[in-house]
Amino acid sequence: MRFRAKIVDLACLNHFSRIINTIARLAKTCILRLTVCKLYFILSDKVANGGASMWCELSQGNFFNEFQMEGVAAEHNEIYLELVPENLSRALKTSQSAKAVKIKLTNKHCPCLRVAVELPSLSSSSRIVTHDIPVGVIPRRMWNDFREPSVPDFDVSIYLPVLKTMKSVVERMKNLSNFIVIEANLSGEMNLKIETDLVSVTTHFKDLGNPPWASEDGCQSSAQGRDLESMAEACIDIKKLQQLLAGQQVNPTKVLCNIVRKRIVHFILLHEEVSLQYFIPAIA
Amino acid sequence: LSRIGDELYLEPTESGLSLRAVNSSRSGFASFLFAPLFFQLYEPGGAGPEAELFRCKVHMKSFLGIFRSLPSLEKSVGKCLILLKPHASRLVLQLHCKHGVTKTHNLAFQECERLQAVFDTQSCASHLCAPARVLAEAVVHFPLTLAEVTLGAGPGGKISLRNYVEDEAEPSKTMVTELWLAEDEFQSVAVAPGSHITFCLKEFRGLLSFAEASNLPLTIHFDEPGRPVIFTLDDTVLEVHLVLATLSDLDSNSRAPSTNGVSHLPAPADDFADDLESYMAAMETSEGGSERAPSPTFSLHARRPAQSTPEEEEAEEEEEEEGAVPGTPPHKKFRSLFFGSVMTPGRPGLAPTQEVLAEDSEGE
């Protein structure tokens, strides 16, 4: 089992750092899955995470100049590691002017991801900073716990409003209530609602647009038969929503929100080179 | 100075005004000596050549509060007068500002004895001098919350800085960051090969930002682990010393594979062991962490620091603080370590009389 990778391009490095920062805001601990072509950051929906789960996928070729991975076995050519993304975020934070960043899986006293940053210096040789990030190697028998979640059978799918606007609305609502209701319909309308003993606040968004989803059997999607005006709603933990919105450091190309009435809210954030899915379960 | 202690000691001397501070665990001491030339007027006072110059200490926060907003001070204040009359009950700070405005602050003070850590840069085996900028750029890679850092002389003349991981922290859970600086980044390097010391980063950062702001090179004098590290800044009108206790190296024998205080991480190389096959095979069995004998930790918080502290001459007034001497250490091991280093047989350059601050009542 070996892994070595190198980033030389500063733009790629910054982009990669921003993605790691976003992940670090969403999960204290998560799984890094390495395959030949892709990296995945996975948070499974355990109770410890408050039931929220995350699936983030990026193509290594868009970030790394060199990428060599040998999995645990030939027919299972993947590596699953458990790590604290905040450590990785910190290691990359001060590498903004680096000449190169190398990441390598090592096992000195314990398995670590060694991030070696080569920094420019006025002297003849570069400065080298190494960060040894402890990781846990996930044995193959547990890999099934971390499969890609399927898109739920949603009642409504809608594009989110401009994230910055939504973030400032949610931040203010967070001061008033612990829970927020997201509701949306198939006419491009979305409401964010909070209600406490003292106050209720609703913010209305319209003309958001609904993403077209091809149905499996090619027939008209079941949504056609539904009332386009009727709202599907779910009440979720406002902190989780706020973490998701606040963590976004790059404006995604598209953000979709799928709501399963009273069950779960599924966010899909699509950038050019990375996709992030985040599931927040509804509070009963 | 406020990063070190809560009280500011003002000691006028013939060679200038010395401002000093010491931390509550007596493991950190700093002094700034402003030469008479620094001031427009400097009268240290004293009734005659033999008279003792008056010393006092004030609350750091009260003093700092007067100089709260530097940008606005620079714009509006023309002169600052510091006045202390021996029989006055207040230290007077007067800011003469624009438009004829004078702000007078009267600070309560306490008389005190001389606060002086005993240290000798000449007796240190290793010396490093670097522009403050280089050290500031090095330290930026460590989180602000990091308590201690280890400075070491590595192979190839490289100097390393590594975050110190306390033994209680699980080694398999803590991130280790190490930075290597080449010899030519320093203005001068004269270090004992393989030497290393561990000291409090937080207190050092305070001095470092001062050095950066004044664009002065910083010199680091150190010796064996356990002996204090001394940071100095020199200027024509200012002499700065920061003395910090360092962690002593009790567990150097049990730390495989290094001995004699040699840093156990090699210089950065591309080839390091990444043999995870055997790890995977052995994963069912419990992981063998590196076994280390428990060693006293360098902690400035609840615990007593277990390293030699700079010897000090203190007055009775100091006893109301956390002890002019380490009070009741939690473990006998800490206590014996402290006295052990005090009783170290004389080394060249060591002051001939080491003042023992409290006799060992058990006659160890």
Side-chain angles (χ1 to χ4, degrees):
Chain A
M1 190 168 55
R2 287 165 55 96
F3 171 60
R4 315 167 89 118
K6 182 165 160 182
I7 303 181
V8 171
D9 183 80
L10 267 186
C12 293
L13 178 61
N14 288 336
H15 195 177
F16 188 68
S17 302
R18 282 197 294 266
I19 294 169
I20 304 297
N21 292 343
T22 304
I23 305 286
R25 302 245 204 156
L26 292 175
K28 271 184 76 172
T29 313
C30 72
I31 304 294
L32 169 61
R33 173 184 169 199
L34 300 165
T35 67
V36 171
C37 304
K38 291 193 179 198
L39 287 88
Y40 302 81
F41 291 94
I42 306 166
L43 181 69
S44 65
D45 57 352
K46 304 218 175 27
V47 174
N49 306 324
S53 57
M54 170 188 73
W55 180 271
C56 176
E57 192 174 308
L58 35 136
S59 296
Q60 58 92 346
N62 289 327
F63 299 91
F64 296 91
N65 297 83
E66 290 170 26
F67 193 91
Q68 297 157 30
M69 201 273 317
E70 274 169 39
V72 299
E75 61 275 13
H76 302 285
N77 197 19
E78 303 187 2
I79 299 176
Y80 283 64
L81 301 171
E82 182 176 31
L83 54 68
V84 173
E86 173 65 28
N87 284 340
L88 190 52
S89 180
R90 264 181 30 211
L92 295 172
K93 195 160 82 150
T94 49
S95 66
Q96 301 309 314
S97 56
K99 286 155 82 168
V101 173
K102 292 191 204 165
I103 305 182
K104 179 169 171 158
L105 186 58
T106 71
N107 182 27
K108 287 165 118 354
H109 312 290
C110 59
C112 277
L113 266 187
R114 169 165 280 204
V115 178
V117 183
E118 191 184 334
L119 293 161
S121 76
L122 290 178
S123 84
S124 50
S125 45
S126 311
R127 269 181 219 156
I128 311 256
V129 186
T130 56
H131 303 269
D132 284 335
I133 300 169
V135 296
V137 181
I138 307 286
R140 205 165 56 70
R141 62 174 189 274
M142 290 172 63
W143 287 9
N144 273 332
D145 290 354
F146 308 109
R147 276 171 306 180
E148 178 166 7
S150 44
V151 177
D153 192 14
F154 50 81
D155 298 305
V156 166
S157 179
I158 190 166
Y159 290 113
L160 283 187
V162 171
L163 284 191
K164 212 165 106 173
T165 312
M166 194 170 162
K167 179 176 97 131
S168 60
V169 167
V170 172
E171 253 169 29
R172 277 156 186 71
M173 288 180 164
K174 186 165 87 90
N175 295 332
L176 298 168
S177 167
N178 290 330
F179 305 109
I180 187 171
V181 171
I182 299 190
E183 61 176 22
N185 64 17
L186 289 162
S187 306
E189 292 172 341
M190 170 185 268
N191 301 327
L192 297 174
K193 305 196 292 198
I194 53 161
E195 188 163 334
T196 67
D197 292 338
L198 292 176
V199 65
S200 66
V201 182
T202 307
T203 304
H204 306 268
F205 297 93
K206 51 188 194 172
D207 297 329
L208 294 174
N210 300 89
W213 285 83
S215 69
E216 283 162 351
D217 51 10
C219 303
Q220 288 178 348
S221 74
S222 54
Q224 292 284 356
R226 290 195 209 140
D227 173 16
L228 293 180
E229 305 283 322
S230 112
M231 291 277 182
E233 67 164 53
C235 177
I236 58 174
D237 180 343
I238 201 172
K239 278 222 312 269
K240 294 249 171 301
L241 178 59
Q242 197 260 345
Q243 270 172 359
L244 175 68
L245 297 171
Q248 297 312 305
Q249 306 210 319
V250 187
N251 273 328
T253 327
K254 279 201 183 109
V255 188
L256 281 75
C257 173
N258 299 330
I259 304 178
V260 179
R261 197 170 264 128
K262 292 193 177 29
R263 291 276 311 284
I264 198 162
V265 183
H266 174 214
F267 296 91
I268 309 179
L269 296 95
L270 294 168
H271 300 248
E272 275 168 20
E273 294 134 355
V274 61
S275 75
L276 173 69
Q277 296 181 55
Y278 197 61
F279 297 79
I280 307 181
I283 317 269
Chain B
L1 286 167
S2 70
R3 306 269 193 111
I4 310 282
D6 292 330
E7 290 181 316
L8 178 66
Y9 290 73
L10 291 111
E11 298 186 22
T13 71
E14 289 303 329
S15 39
L17 175 65
S18 182
L19 299 179
R20 301 173 181 205
V22 66
N23 69 10
S24 55
S25 52
R26 297 292 186 269
S27 57
F29 163 89
S31 81
F32 283 69
L33 176 66
F34 292 93
L37 274 179
F38 179 83
F39 304 96
Q40 202 175 24
L41 166 75
Y42 180 66
E43 281 169 15
E50 301 306 320
E52 274 239 323
L53 292 174
F54 192 75
R55 286 182 286 265
C56 70
K57 59 177 180 172
V58 298
H59 281 300
M60 191 71 76
K61 283 210 167 79
S62 316
F63 198 92
L64 275 181
I66 300 168
F67 302 95
R68 202 179 345 248
S69 163
L70 275 180
S72 74
L73 282 180
E74 279 175 13
K75 272 190 261 177
S76 58
V77 177
K79 280 196 299 203
C80 170
L81 171 68
I82 307 180
L83 184 62
L84 182 56
K85 297 196 168 138
H87 302 294
S89 59
R90 292 284 184 268
L91 172 72
V92 177
L93 268 102
Q94 220 173 45
L95 300 175
H96 295 251
C97 313
K98 280 197 308 204
H99 311 304
V101 173
T102 305
K103 297 188 200 175
T104 306
H105 300 264
N106 299 300
L107 292 177
F109 64 82
Q110 268 184 293
E111 290 182 36
C112 59
E113 288 300 314
R114 197 156 167 254
L115 176 70
Q116 176 64 63
V118 172
F119 57 91
D120 181 13
T121 55
Q122 306 291 334
S123 69
C124 291
S126 303
H127 310 270
L128 284 171
C129 182
R133 182 193 46 83
V134 168
L135 294 170
E137 284 169 4
V139 143
V140 83
H141 297 281
F142 299 93
L144 289 170
T145 49
L146 178 63
E148 288 104 29
V149 77
T150 303
L151 171 74
K158 288 192 184 265
I159 304 295
S160 76
L161 265 182
R162 178 167 26 107
N163 62 316
Y164 176 75
V165 179
E166 287 183 29
D167 285 337
E168 280 103 40
E170 280 187 57
S172 58
K173 292 238 165 87
T174 319
M175 179 161 135
V176 174
T177 299
E178 186 156 25
L179 165 80
W180 296 91
L181 294 168
E183 207 172 333
D184 57 3
E185 298 224 53
F186 293 83
Q187 287 175 351
S188 76
V189 176
V191 296
S195 56
H196 70 270
I197 42 151
T198 301
F199 57 87
C200 177
L201 180 60
K202 280 190 190 158
E203 291 174 335
F204 174 59
R205 279 187 197 267
L207 180 69
L208 191 52
S209 32
F210 180 86
E212 249 197 312
S214 8
N215 208 13
L216 291 170
L218 202 117
T219 309
I220 308 178
H221 309 267
F222 62 98
D223 203 78
E224 286 168 2
R227 299 209 49 76
V229 56
I230 305 147
F231 303 91
T232 59
L233 292 175
D234 271 301
D235 180 277
T236 45
V237 290
L238 177 61
E239 232 179 79
V240 186
H241 289 96
L242 170 68
V243 187
L244 296 178
T246 63
L247 184 63
S248 66
D249 215 18
L250 268 201
D251 59 342
S252 62
N253 291 332
S254 52
R255 193 185 287 160
S258 69
T259 49
N260 306 324
V262 173
S263 168
H264 63 278
L265 282 183
D270 264 344
D271 305 315
F272 23 69
D274 57 352
D275 176 16
L276 276 113
E277 307 295 349
S278 53
Y279 174 79
M280 291 292 288
M283 213 153 64
E284 296 307 305
T285 59
S286 58
E287 285 174 42
S290 48
E291 314 293 302
R292 287 203 199 159
S295 76
T297 55
F298 184 124
S299 167
L300 299 169
H301 314 298
R303 299 245 208 108
R304 270 299 144 212
Q307 56 287 336
S308 69
T309 58
E311 325 300 4
E312 295 160 323
E313 301 157 7
E314 291 287 351
E316 298 73 27
E317 282 101 310
E318 316 298 25
E319 275 163 4
E320 83 250 16
E321 294 152 20
E322 270 212 63
V325 302
T328 334
H331 294 303
K332 202 156 177 236
K333 188 185 260 183
F334 293 169
R335 186 191 176 98
S336 59
L337 176 67
F338 172 76
F339 289 119
S341 25
V342 167
M343 308 301 191
T344 305
R347 293 180 59 242
L350 209 58
T353 48
Q354 291 274 329
E355 184 179 4
V356 177
L357 299 169
E359 298 301 322
D360 191 302
S361 56
E362 286 166 33
E364 287 169 35

